[in-house]
Amino acid sequence: MEGCNFTTLSVFIVIAVGIYRWFYRPSKFPPGPRGFPFVGVVPFLGSYPERTIANWKSTYGSIMSVRFGPQDWVVLNDYEAIQQALVLKGDSFSGRPPMPSFLDLASGNGLSFLDYGKKWKLQRKFGLMTLRGFGMGKKGMEARVLEEAAYMNKEIRKQSGKPFFINRTVSNTVSNVICGVVFGRRFDYGDPWFTGLLRDMDKRFQTTGMFMLLVFMPWLRHFPPGSRMVNDLKSDVGRLIDDFEKEVKQHNSTFQKNDIRDFIDAYLDEMHQEKETFTMEQLLHYIRDLFEAGTETTTSTLRWALLCLIHYPETQNKLYREIVTVLGEDGKPSMSIKDEMSYTFAFIQEVQRYRTLVPLSLPHCTSQDVEVAGFCIPKRTVVVPNIWAVHNDPNLWDEPEKFKPERHLDAGGQFVKSNFVMAFSAGPRHCVGEQLAKTELFFFITSMVQCFEFLPEEGNLPEIEKGTVGSVFAPLEYKIVAKERQF
């Protein structure tokens, strides 16, 4: 009888503690929905969580807490909230949470998921300085991108105006730019090593829907299909790291301090001087970050841009007329004439706003207890900026659901750079490859539109409202026709 009473009491205590922990929130913590035990609000998020969360702003405000699985995250749901947290108090909001799904893949290395601190600052400073030169003195950034644009257009011409899937061509092009930065050379599009590299990276982004569930509810990684997916991702990452290691060893065997050829050489040079944070494992995952982030984001943005061209032919005509007026039929684009190509830059900025590529950005976490907008957010709280909500805020944009490049031009037709377009996030952790990505988008779009008129496959206008579900909002696969322009 006494044992039975003890068991009943124990169960009661466990239930009471569970209920208390479920409803407990720290003092002055942002309000928000809790959902159900174990899963939180995940069942209510739908295919596009950022849009659901943006709708909750009317109930809970610009800064809210949202319970993903067993944990409360803080979501910054408009531009002002993001500015107050990530920019004005960037030192307090620039950490990376210790999420098992990311730790499994990066082992605490690289740059994207490295926590805020001395190591991250040194690695980021190195990356910014190295990428700024892009080519390490051998070739300038513009020369490398122009060279790859020529290869891309040659590949498109091979389609002879017939419908084809352009995603592989664009991915090859963008990845080869990264190859130029990292390895100091480009690869033929049919090279077995190069195609294997892209195949392994593709698999990483084809599983984003399930991967996001693992991010929200880490305990799912212990059960199928989560455990199977984690093991598959580990294998894919392992192959990438092995491939990169072979490249690094080859570089090391021919390294000369007075002849820095590329990113790997620059990093090896740092390793010879500073061995605490500049290590082989860190270099290998840094390279992986550059390839994964640099390839997927720019490739998907270009694919959205092409979709916009075929959905809005008048926009394509305006773009082409500006390009021919400024460059002629065969002139080469240059950043030195960007002020003369206002509509081109307005088009690119509108693509980035209209189809937000990373809607919830990457997760941040607080590095200390911090107060923002009257709320107290404890140390190590996960914080997510809702970039989609900013890009679709009716207080910032007239008819945000519509594609209108002209919204980024002033009364005189000049391009106006908008702080409200946050394609590269904000604050200390904004994208390290921002300048490279902007250069690629300008050169590749200009070069393609100069050479080709892009049309939909007859009777089949591709989907533009829907995209992939997960951390990256990429276009669904589609066919396109590239009609070569006759001069």
Side-chain angles (χ1 to χ4, degrees):
M1 189 71 170
E2 291 180 1
C4 182
N5 289 337
F6 177 77
T7 301
T8 302
L9 180 61
S10 298
V11 170
F12 176 79
I13 291 174
V14 168
I15 293 174
V17 170
I19 292 174
Y20 171 77
R21 293 189 63 179
W22 182 253
F23 285 99
Y24 170 78
R25 275 176 171 154
S27 176
K28 298 176 69 177
F29 196 66
R34 288 185 173 88
F36 298 128
F38 300 110
V39 297
V41 301
V42 172
F44 305 102
L45 292 176
S47 297
Y48 305 112
E50 68 282 354
R51 306 181 192 190
T52 302
I53 295 171
N55 289 333
W56 291 341
K57 176 184 173 182
S58 60
T59 302
Y60 300 106
S62 300
I63 300 178
M64 69 176 69
S65 61
V66 179
R67 185 155 293 176
F68 293 110
Q71 188 178 20
D72 281 318
W73 291 16
V74 170
V75 178
L76 309 173
N77 233 2
D78 62 18
Y79 177 78
E80 184 60 32
I82 293 173
Q83 284 293 109
Q84 288 186 46
L86 301 194
V87 178
L88 299 180
K89 297 189 176 183
D91 285 345
S92 300
F93 282 88
S94 293
R96 284 285 190 249
M99 295 180 169
S101 299
F102 298 121
L103 292 176
D104 285 343
L105 303 179
S107 305
N109 291 290
L111 187 67
S112 296
F113 294 100
L114 195 61
D115 199 10
Y116 189 71
K118 177 184 176 182
K119 180 178 179 180
W120 176 83
K121 291 178 181 178
L122 288 172
Q123 298 295 320
R124 181 176 174 82
K125 181 180 178 181
F126 167 82
L128 287 170
M129 293 179 63
T130 305
L131 292 175
R132 189 175 297 152
F134 187 58
M136 314 311 299
K138 295 292 183 181
K139 284 185 179 179
M141 182 188 297
E142 292 191 15
R144 284 194 181 277
V145 178
L146 273 174
E147 177 187 46
E148 203 56 46
Y151 282 107
M152 174 185 63
N153 290 336
K154 181 180 179 182
E155 200 68 19
I156 294 174
R157 286 190 184 95
K158 291 180 181 179
Q159 308 304 321
S160 303
K162 297 178 181 178
F164 71 109
F165 294 108
I166 199 170
N167 52 310
R168 175 54 66 198
T169 300
V170 174
S171 180
N172 287 343
T173 301
V174 175
S175 291
N176 247 336
V177 173
I178 304 296
C179 285
V181 177
V182 176
F183 304 134
R185 69 185 191 279
R186 71 177 302 278
F187 292 86
D188 183 82
Y189 290 167
D191 182 272
W193 183 88
F194 184 60
T195 55
L197 172 73
L198 295 183
R199 183 175 59 250
D200 286 337
M201 285 197 298
D202 282 348
K203 290 173 68 177
R204 160 70 178 85
F205 288 97
Q206 287 169 359
T207 52
T208 49
M210 182 64 198
F211 190 77
M212 287 303 292
L213 286 178
L214 295 177
V215 171
F216 294 148
M217 298 180 289
W219 51 270
L220 287 176
R221 57 199 285 273
H222 299 295
F223 307 96
S227 58
R228 184 168 57 251
M229 198 197 81
V230 169
N231 289 333
D232 288 345
L233 287 174
K234 283 182 179 180
S235 296
D236 295 338
V237 170
R239 285 194 299 273
L240 285 173
I241 295 301
D242 288 344
D243 286 340
F244 295 150
E245 188 171 16
K246 292 174 185 176
E247 283 287 332
V248 171
K249 286 180 177 178
Q250 185 178 0
H251 272 65
N252 210 7
S253 67
T254 58
F255 174 80
Q256 295 183 36
K257 184 175 178 62
N258 60 351
D259 183 24
I260 302 299
R261 298 163 292 186
D262 45 43
F263 184 91
I264 291 177
D265 273 359
Y267 202 96
L268 291 174
D269 191 39
E270 288 290 331
M271 284 175 61
H272 295 152
Q273 302 174 54
E274 204 277 90
K275 300 181 182 297
E276 182 181 353
T277 60
F278 286 80
T279 65
M280 180 61 71
E281 189 174 13
Q282 169 64 19
L283 169 59
L284 295 174
H285 283 281
Y286 209 143
I287 295 172
R288 184 177 70 87
D289 278 348
L290 290 174
F291 269 95
E292 288 192 349
T295 297
E296 175 63 23
T297 53
T298 304
T299 295
S300 294
T301 302
L302 287 169
R303 292 177 60 218
W304 280 125
L306 290 168
L307 265 182
C308 290
L309 291 178
I310 62 178
H311 270 263
Y312 303 99
E314 183 53 37
T315 294
Q316 184 171 183
N317 291 336
K318 288 181 181 178
L319 196 57
Y320 175 67
R321 286 197 296 269
E322 178 177 84
I323 291 169
V324 172
T325 299
V326 177
L327 300 178
E329 295 174 342
D330 57 358
K332 297 186 184 303
S334 169
M335 295 300 276
S336 64
I337 58 169
K338 63 181 182 180
D339 290 342
E340 300 176 52
M341 303 192 71
S342 290
Y343 193 80
T344 302
F345 281 95
F347 170 78
I348 294 171
Q349 187 163 266
E350 179 65 353
V351 170
Q352 293 176 316
R353 183 206 69 83
Y354 178 64
R355 298 288 81 142
T356 306
L357 200 65
V358 189
L360 291 175
S361 189
L362 291 178
H364 293 234
C365 79
T366 48
S367 54
Q368 58 190 12
D369 293 348
V370 59
E371 183 175 334
V372 60
F375 296 113
C376 293
I377 303 176
K379 180 179 179 179
R380 308 310 293 172
T381 299
V382 180
V383 179
V384 176
N386 190 345
I387 305 299
W388 185 91
V390 178
H391 288 179
N392 290 271
D393 188 342
N395 295 317
L396 300 177
W397 311 101
D398 175 48
E399 298 181 307
E401 73 283 357
K402 294 184 178 180
F403 181 76
K404 297 194 296 186
E406 290 76 13
R407 71 171 83 242
H408 305 289
L409 300 174
D410 63 17
Q414 295 300 302
F415 171 65
V416 179
K417 184 182 182 301
S418 175
N419 292 328
F420 303 134
V421 177
M422 310 177 75
F424 302 98
S425 194
R429 297 209 74 136
H430 75 276
C431 178
V432 70
E434 178 177 351
Q435 284 306 121
L436 172 58
K438 287 181 175 179
T439 301
E440 288 178 297
L441 292 172
F442 171 64
F443 278 76
F444 290 148
I445 289 172
T446 301
S447 180
M448 284 192 289
V449 174
Q450 185 183 38
C451 295
F452 305 99
E453 179 185 7
F454 291 97
L455 304 165
E457 182 182 19
E458 187 175 354
N460 185 22
L461 188 64
E463 175 66 62
I464 196 172
E465 295 298 332
K466 296 179 182 178
T468 58
V469 176
S471 56
V472 175
F473 182 60
L476 302 176
E477 196 170 62
Y478 64 88
K479 282 188 175 182
I480 195 169
V481 173
K483 181 181 177 183
E484 190 165 6
R485 298 189 187 275
Q486 301 299 318
F487 303 132

